[in-house]
Amino acid sequence: MSATSPAGESEQPGRIMSGEMAEQPAMLRRILERGAPRIREVAAGIAARKPRFVLLTARGTSDNAALYAKYLLEIRLGLPCGLASMSTTTAYGAKPDLRDVLVITVSQSGGSPDLVASTRAAREAGAITLAVTNNRDSPLAAVSEHHIDILAGPEKALPATKTYTASLLSLYLFVEGLAGRDGSAAEILPERAEEILARKDEVKALAARYRFAERMVITSRGYGYPTAKEAALKLMETSYIPALSYSGADLLHGPLAMVDNISPVIAVVTDGRGGEALQPVLDRLRGRGADLFVVGPQAQVAAASAGFVLPTSGVAEELQPVLEILPLQMLAYEVTIARGQDPDAPRALAKVTETR
């Protein structure tokens, strides 16, 4: 949408993205109150079929949500997972044996042809298919055996914000449902999300620091790694800053050489085992004089060049990604505004990307 609507009403750049970010606490409550019973029902039906393996299928922002689900499924359930390569079926016509395999396809719109085609092929190959979308009437929902509606409501800004956090929470509740748990630990999230989103001025001040950045590196480990990937995507598609995301372990295997005291490094530090595993990476980054921005606990932020203290008290490590991404969405928004661009309408992007 342009700065001036078809009706001629003047609109501020980023108005839509800002409004959708602000909807997230209410949306999280809606999922917990209205969506959770249906999600548990779907999970119970799939659990009864005892899938032996999970394949996750997605693109873009939804791919980062799927990666989060991979961590949940492998850590919380001990269920092996893989990220599907859709072209093996859509381009090469491969016909894998998917009997007793759960194929989860995550898509905001549920309309991309390659997602629909690969899910249809998976079902024909014997898979248990589950679509996780923001559109229950989508083609993807129609070809899948099971469907979860993430209840995010219409999302008009091109950068996905609320559909990402809605996907994370819905996938968390689904995995908990597979294990026969109620997911009640997530009830703290709406309140914490409100606390974070109220700190706009803090993020705006931080954005001024990175307005002229020519490149950013974003890193994390464990549950925080999908957050690092999603934050990089948000920065690239809104502000056009090249943002490279790495697992902390991978960063040490070569890419650390490009880190200097000019290009900012954003570290997503979960309060738990993932943060502990990232500590040697943080030490190396500080040793190289990196401009280190930390999203995480107070102690980690205090030892960095800059940061955003995440309110993690009482929040399980596996739920922190729902909160971690919020200040980074805000950062992407504020950096883009500071650079004189409109985050509602990134160039060369469409809301539904029709890959085949």
Side-chain angles (χ1 to χ4, degrees):
M1 185 175 292
S2 64
T4 303
S5 71
E9 297 178 357
S10 177
E11 296 176 353
Q12 292 296 319
R15 180 187 63 86
I16 301 174
M17 182 180 176
S18 177
E20 289 175 352
M21 288 191 293
E23 291 177 30
Q24 290 175 103
M27 178 207 67
L28 295 172
R29 287 192 180 93
R30 182 164 62 245
I31 295 169
L32 291 166
E33 293 168 4
R34 288 174 39 198
R38 172 59 181 162
I39 293 172
R40 284 194 292 268
E41 180 182 329
V42 170
I46 291 174
R49 295 172 66 176
K50 296 181 170 56
R52 58 184 171 85
F53 189 84
V54 180
L55 275 176
L56 293 147
T57 306
R59 296 284 192 201
T61 284
S62 294
D63 200 27
N64 300 326
L67 180 59
Y68 168 71
K70 184 177 189 292
Y71 277 92
L72 286 174
L73 288 158
E74 292 185 341
I75 296 170
R76 304 282 288 169
L77 271 64
L79 197 57
C81 301
L83 299 176
S85 299
M86 283 176 277
S87 62
T88 60
T89 55
T90 60
Y92 291 93
K95 298 185 181 299
D97 180 359
L98 298 179
R99 288 172 293 178
D100 302 320
V101 173
L102 171 60
V103 173
I104 302 174
T105 306
V106 186
S107 171
Q108 300 154 40
S109 68
S112 185
D114 60 346
L115 294 170
V116 175
S118 64
T119 301
R120 182 185 293 111
R123 191 169 181 179
E124 291 171 353
I128 307 162
T129 52
L130 167 65
V132 180
T133 81
N134 196 37
N135 183 2
R136 64 183 179 182
D137 297 320
S138 63
L140 179 60
V143 301
S144 299
E145 184 178 357
H146 302 278
H147 178 250
I148 288 174
D149 187 343
I150 64 173
L151 301 176
E155 188 173 59
K156 296 180 181 179
L158 287 176
T161 54
K162 64 179 182 173
T163 51
Y164 180 69
T165 49
S167 296
L168 296 189
L169 178 54
S170 298
L171 288 163
Y172 169 80
L173 293 172
F174 171 70
V175 173
E176 292 298 281
L178 284 179
R181 298 185 288 259
D182 63 6
S184 59
E187 291 173 4
I188 197 172
L189 292 176
E191 179 183 347
R192 291 288 187 269
E194 285 176 340
E195 294 173 14
I196 292 168
L197 291 169
R199 294 161 62 186
K200 291 180 181 178
D201 291 344
E202 183 180 341
V203 176
K204 188 173 183 178
L206 289 166
R209 181 185 182 97
Y210 303 113
R211 176 182 177 183
F212 299 107
E214 296 183 359
R215 181 186 67 201
M216 288 188 179
V217 174
I218 308 178
T219 188
S220 189
R221 289 203 69 180
Y223 286 114
Y225 181 42
T227 307
K229 290 175 67 67
E230 175 60 13
L233 178 59
K234 283 292 145 301
L235 283 162
M236 287 189 288
E237 69 184 357
T238 57
S239 69
Y240 318 140
I241 296 174
L244 309 173
S245 60
Y246 294 98
S247 158
D250 288 333
L251 185 62
L252 296 182
H253 285 268
L256 185 66
M258 70 179 173
V259 173
D260 53 31
N261 62 354
I262 298 174
S263 299
V265 178
I266 298 176
V268 180
V269 186
T270 56
D271 190 359
R273 295 186 182 183
E276 293 168 6
L278 190 63
Q279 191 58 52
V281 182
L282 299 176
D283 293 340
R284 291 284 299 276
L285 289 168
R286 282 190 286 265
R288 290 187 61 81
D291 179 357
L292 181 61
F293 176 103
V294 166
V295 174
Q298 172 68 56
Q300 295 291 349
V301 172
S305 308
F308 187 99
V309 177
L310 204 69
T312 57
S313 177
V315 183
E317 181 179 1
E318 60 270 17
L319 284 168
Q320 290 175 34
V322 181
L323 303 178
E324 289 167 347
I325 191 58
L326 300 179
L328 294 168
Q329 290 174 347
M330 295 161 70
L331 182 69
Y333 169 87
E334 294 291 355
V335 168
T336 304
I337 294 294
R339 289 164 70 97
Q341 295 152 199
D342 185 357
D344 284 342
R347 63 194 182 204
L349 294 183
K351 193 61 182 171
V352 180
T353 304
E354 297 192 353
T355 48
R356 297 182 183 274

